[in-house]
Amino acid sequence: MEVAPLSVWLKTNSSPIIIAGPCSAESENQLISTAQQLKENIKISLFRAGVWKPRTRPGSFEGLGEVALPWLKRVRNELGIPVCTEVANPYHVELALKHEIDALWVGARTTTSPFAVQEIASAVAGTDIPILIKNPISSDLNLWIGALERFSKAKIKKLVAVHRGYSTSIDSRYRNSPVWKNPIELKIMFPNLPIICDPSHIAGDRSLIGEVCQKAIDLNFDGLMIESHFEPDSALSDKKQQVDPKTLKVILSNLLLKTEHSPNKNFELELESLREKIDQIDYELLGNLKMRMEIVKQIGHAKRENQVTPLQKSRIEYLLRQRAAKAKDLGLSEEYIREIFSYIHSESLKSQTEIMDNN
Ligand code: PEP
Ligand code: MN
């Protein structure tokens, strides 16, 4: 996937970059006042406001549609902040392009549907408009990757992934469970793809925004997309999670910024020597896994000769119980060790099944 760095199309005047603005565009005054206050308080790279709001249930505020697009354009022209809005179908794309909106985002509900994503990707093909793609509602990483690929195939290079959490059955303090391993895996698979965290839709409550932002910074996200409204308590959508621009300034100034490298030479040297130790331990682990697999195969041959099945349920139960108990003694997480050994055991089973099948 060919992806342009954020700095190619966005003023990256802060690290992480900040995208902010209300959940929805509600009136010209609300939009302009919020943008002005944001500009006065923080370094903002992109202003957001939803014009078409995909609400889970009908009856709540669904956005004002096309009338709000010229207000967004005013923000860009008068305050010099590029603007973005959500699109969910080719008609939205057509209107957003007509009103010269600078960037578009695809919402979580839309990313869930490959048909809808494809229609939007085909509608923007031939333009070089930046596209921000929120993760889908369910924690299926491939659905998110698939959406990014559809835009990539439409030759869109200014792509950004936005992590906004998932509807899961996991009991969480948050409105949408973060499942941080998904954006981490995405970053490992596509190191050049900018990833932005949307703490507002993860948290669902303004008191939790700061801690989610900090987590995103600790994980080296490229930016934050935060809902901000000049009068959050009167917001027509997502009011509990919106913060006013002054509060946003406080949240951002309380963040502990971290970088990938430190100018402290002693720290870098210590890090290098500790990493050498980790490398050494990992090679020993690999050597041990190799020796373990040799024995697994010997057992596989013996089982074949004696017509015994590769899987003995009592053995795996015993093994996991013992390893978890040992992990506990060592102060390691039992769940972590159980997961590793389940994986090791299933690879053993695979190898023994192949031995059985080869007679
Ligand atoms: C939004 O950004 O206001 C929004 C509707 O987000 P999501 O698609 O992440 O729910
Ligand atoms: Mn919202």
Side-chain angles (χ1 to χ4, degrees):
M1 201 156 40
E2 200 186 328
V3 184
L6 278 180
S7 56
V8 165
W9 57 276
L10 207 56
K11 260 193 233 148
T12 46
N13 53 1
S14 68
S15 179
I17 66 130
I18 304 298
I19 301 171
C23 177
S24 315
E26 299 165 2
S27 71
E28 188 160 15
N29 178 47
Q30 171 248 11
L31 217 62
I32 304 290
S33 302
T34 303
Q36 269 166 347
Q37 290 182 22
L38 281 168
K39 190 174 172 170
E40 279 160 24
N41 283 285
I42 61 169
K43 282 188 178 148
I44 167 173
S45 295
L46 189 60
F47 181 78
R48 60 148 287 153
V51 161
W52 297 282
K53 298 302 300 173
R55 307 312 297 276
T56 302
R57 296 180 62 187
S60 38
F61 179 65
E62 295 194 311
L64 298 173
E66 190 179 1
V67 284
L69 292 172
W71 310 336
L72 270 174
K73 211 169 143 185
R74 260 193 76 192
V75 170
R76 206 256 324 288
N77 293 346
E78 293 173 24
L79 299 171
I81 313 168
V83 293
C84 66
T85 198
E86 173 169 352
V87 290
N89 61 42
Y91 175 65
H92 296 161
V93 171
E94 186 190 322
L95 292 177
L97 293 175
K98 181 175 122 194
H99 288 273
E100 297 168 346
I101 301 303
D102 301 285
L104 306 176
W105 88 77
V106 176
R109 289 158 193 78
T110 309
T111 310
T112 303
S113 162
F115 286 133
V117 171
Q118 187 55 55
E119 285 187 358
I120 300 169
S122 303
V124 294
T127 74
D128 77 338
I129 190 144
I131 305 283
L132 291 77
I133 304 175
K134 298 236 193 167
N135 65 254
I137 295 278
S138 70
S139 71
D140 181 345
L141 183 56
N142 277 324
L143 213 43
W144 199 8
I145 295 172
L148 288 154
E149 285 170 341
R150 286 180 196 276
F151 283 93
S152 184
K153 277 184 190 279
K155 304 269 184 301
I156 298 292
K157 295 192 178 61
K158 296 169 185 166
L159 282 174
V160 178
V162 181
H163 173 58
R164 51 78 78 200
Y166 303 93
S167 284
T168 62
S169 54
I170 303 167
D171 191 14
S172 162
R173 292 157 64 230
Y174 301 128
R175 173 179 174 192
N176 286 296
S177 171
V179 194
W180 294 105
K181 75 174 174 45
N182 275 9
I184 293 170
E185 261 179 58
L186 190 67
K187 191 76 192 169
I188 293 168
M189 288 170 82
F190 304 100
N192 297 327
L193 175 69
I195 305 191
I196 288 193
C197 179
D198 169 346
S200 307
H201 290 88
I202 291 177
D205 187 298
R206 63 184 73 118
S207 67
L208 301 173
I209 304 256
E211 65 181 60
V212 180
C213 288
Q214 186 63 57
K215 177 79 182 172
I217 284 181
D218 295 348
L219 292 173
N220 213 9
F221 274 64
D222 299 279
L224 301 167
M225 182 197 246
I226 306 175
E227 287 189 337
S228 180
H229 189 294
F230 79 140
E231 286 168 352
D233 287 328
S234 66
L236 298 180
S237 59
D238 286 351
K239 92 172 153 196
K240 267 174 59 192
Q241 70 196 34
Q242 302 209 56
V243 288
D244 63 64
K246 276 207 175 107
T247 306
L248 181 54
K249 181 185 182 173
V250 174
I251 290 175
L252 294 177
S253 59
N254 282 338
L255 296 176
L256 274 172
L257 294 181
K258 295 179 185 158
T259 51
E260 243 184 76
H261 301 286
S262 157
N264 179 347
K265 280 271 162 291
N266 284 343
F267 160 77
E268 290 289 342
L269 284 173
E270 192 189 348
L271 191 65
E272 209 178 300
S273 104
L274 290 173
R275 281 181 172 161
E276 268 172 25
K277 287 187 189 163
I278 292 266
D279 290 346
Q280 189 55 37
I281 292 171
D282 284 354
Y283 288 131
E284 282 167 21
L285 275 174
L286 284 166
N288 282 334
L289 284 172
K290 166 81 181 153
M291 280 196 303
R292 190 184 195 284
M293 188 52 95
E294 293 305 323
I295 296 171
V296 162
K297 285 180 182 160
Q298 272 181 35
I299 296 177
H301 288 289
K303 281 180 179 170
R304 186 175 71 186
E305 272 153 36
N306 292 281
Q307 278 140 20
V308 169
T309 56
L311 176 68
Q312 274 107 40
K313 219 164 150 268
S314 55
R315 168 67 185 162
I316 174 68
E317 281 166 5
Y318 166 83
L319 185 150
L320 291 179
R321 211 173 37 245
Q322 294 297 312
R323 304 300 182 266
K326 181 74 183 162
K328 196 173 174 196
D329 285 350
L330 293 170
L332 288 166
S333 145
E334 290 176 65
E335 194 194 339
Y336 162 60
I337 296 301
R338 267 182 184 275
E339 214 168 298
I340 290 180
F341 277 95
S342 300
Y343 203 74
I344 290 177
H345 183 264
S346 70
E347 191 62 22
S348 304
L349 203 57
K350 204 164 106 193
S351 161
Q352 291 189 352
T353 309
E354 273 165 21
I355 292 170
M356 290 286 166
D357 292 348
N358 272 347
N359 61 6

